[in-house]
Amino acid sequence: MASITRREGKGKTSYQITVSQGADVNGKQIRKRMTWTPPANMTERQAQKDVQRVAVEFEQQVLLGFAPDSRQTFAEYADYVLELKVRNGLKATTESRYRGLLKRINLAIGHMKLRDIRPQHLNDFYASLQKSGVRESAQRATPKPSIFKLFRAAGKTVEGFAREAGTAPTNLHAVLKGDTVSMEVANAISEALGYKTEQLFSLSKDSSPLSSKTVIEYHRLISSILRMAEKEMIVPYNAA
């Protein structure tokens, strides 16, 4: 049966779980060990209960000859999986999107060992994405009336001006209709007209939570990474 040793240090509690695999040919005991640290928001009672479950799972894995990787973090393994996908033909635009998603994912769970990730950690992360003020693009830009006169004075077509500004014609059409656009689009158009962005646009904070569709994107990427770890027998199951 697995033995559990509680450890205190630097303001946090962890547990060392030890499982015996019998003896080797020289009669020396073979022991497998892992360290489990409960989530910060877990109560003492919950931790005591959960560590028993973790110990049972670990013992079963060891007895089956399977021992999870105790070193790799999620961030390290995610980078490896992404490189595999790129070598297998992943489009550059998709890679860029995945790396963008991983920036926020790694802030939440990137430091965690793969074997320590539990559904509770992921649910906490998804909940955080649906809070106000989580967006990285903190500002949005609404065109001021003066921008229409300046565009007409430039005497250029929408397509030609958009090409000069390095943005899509649809973005320029949106500005000319008075729609709110991203700071990236506002900056490009303002620079092409020779003005500072705040002179041509009214800036406001975008504090809306991420959409459900975007949250699902985060979940699917995490799940695909952990699914690979499960296939490679680095973790016993996909926590996502």
Side-chain angles (χ1 to χ4, degrees):
M1 184 176 178
S3 65
I4 302 171
T5 304
R6 180 183 173 123
R7 292 180 168 179
E8 303 287 348
K10 295 184 180 180
K12 66 179 181 180
T13 301
S14 63
Y15 298 85
Q16 180 175 279
I17 302 170
T18 305
V19 174
S20 175
Q21 270 192 314
D24 61 18
V25 291
N26 298 314
K28 184 179 179 180
Q29 285 292 313
I30 302 172
R31 293 184 176 87
K32 297 288 185 181
R33 295 181 178 84
M34 69 168 284
T35 300
W36 179 76
T37 303
N41 60 350
M42 187 174 277
T43 66
E44 174 70 20
R45 186 174 180 180
Q46 289 173 327
Q48 291 289 342
K49 182 178 180 181
D50 213 36
V51 73
Q52 295 295 332
R53 176 187 59 77
V54 174
V56 170
E57 289 179 359
F58 183 60
E59 183 174 30
Q60 290 173 343
Q61 294 159 16
V62 171
L63 293 177
L64 289 171
F66 173 86
D69 190 315
S70 61
R71 299 173 303 280
Q72 279 199 88
T73 64
F74 180 88
E76 291 168 341
Y77 191 72
D79 191 57
Y80 156 76
V81 172
L82 203 52
E83 289 299 327
L84 279 183
K85 289 179 180 290
V86 170
R87 288 202 295 270
N88 288 326
L90 185 71
K91 292 181 180 178
T93 52
T94 306
E95 180 193 1
S96 177
R97 177 59 176 164
Y98 284 171
R99 292 200 183 279
L101 295 174
L102 279 171
K103 287 180 182 179
R104 184 175 274 133
I105 293 171
N106 286 337
L107 285 175
I109 63 170
H111 65 286
M112 295 184 67
K113 302 289 193 296
L114 283 170
R115 61 172 173 74
D116 290 339
I117 295 173
R118 297 289 183 270
Q120 180 183 353
H121 300 123
L122 303 182
N123 287 332
D124 288 345
F125 171 58
Y126 301 145
S128 75
L129 296 177
Q130 295 172 303
K131 292 179 180 177
S132 296
V134 74
R135 291 180 181 271
E136 289 178 352
S137 53
Q139 288 187 309
R140 300 285 286 172
T142 303
K144 294 179 180 179
S146 57
I147 198 169
F148 309 113
K149 294 179 181 177
L150 290 170
F151 176 72
R152 283 198 295 270
K156 296 177 182 178
T157 64
V158 168
E159 288 73 16
F161 186 82
R163 197 179 307 114
E164 277 186 26
T167 190
T170 51
N171 290 333
L172 184 53
H173 277 300
V175 168
L176 295 175
K177 285 194 301 180
D179 293 345
T180 298
V181 295
S182 70
M183 283 296 295
E184 183 182 4
V185 171
N187 289 337
I189 291 174
S190 299
E191 185 178 347
L193 288 170
Y195 286 81
K196 292 182 178 179
T197 305
E198 55 268 27
Q199 291 178 291
L200 302 182
F201 291 84
S202 297
L203 308 182
S204 60
K205 273 203 166 186
D206 183 3
S207 59
S208 61
L210 298 181
S211 68
S212 297
K213 181 181 177 182
T214 302
V215 175
I216 289 172
E217 275 192 88
Y218 279 100
H219 169 70
R220 285 175 176 164
L221 179 56
I222 292 171
S223 186
S224 69
I225 291 166
L226 294 180
R227 183 164 60 248
M228 177 67 78
E230 182 182 23
K231 285 175 67 175
E232 293 190 338
M233 296 188 72
I234 296 172
V235 295
Y237 69 97
N238 180 351

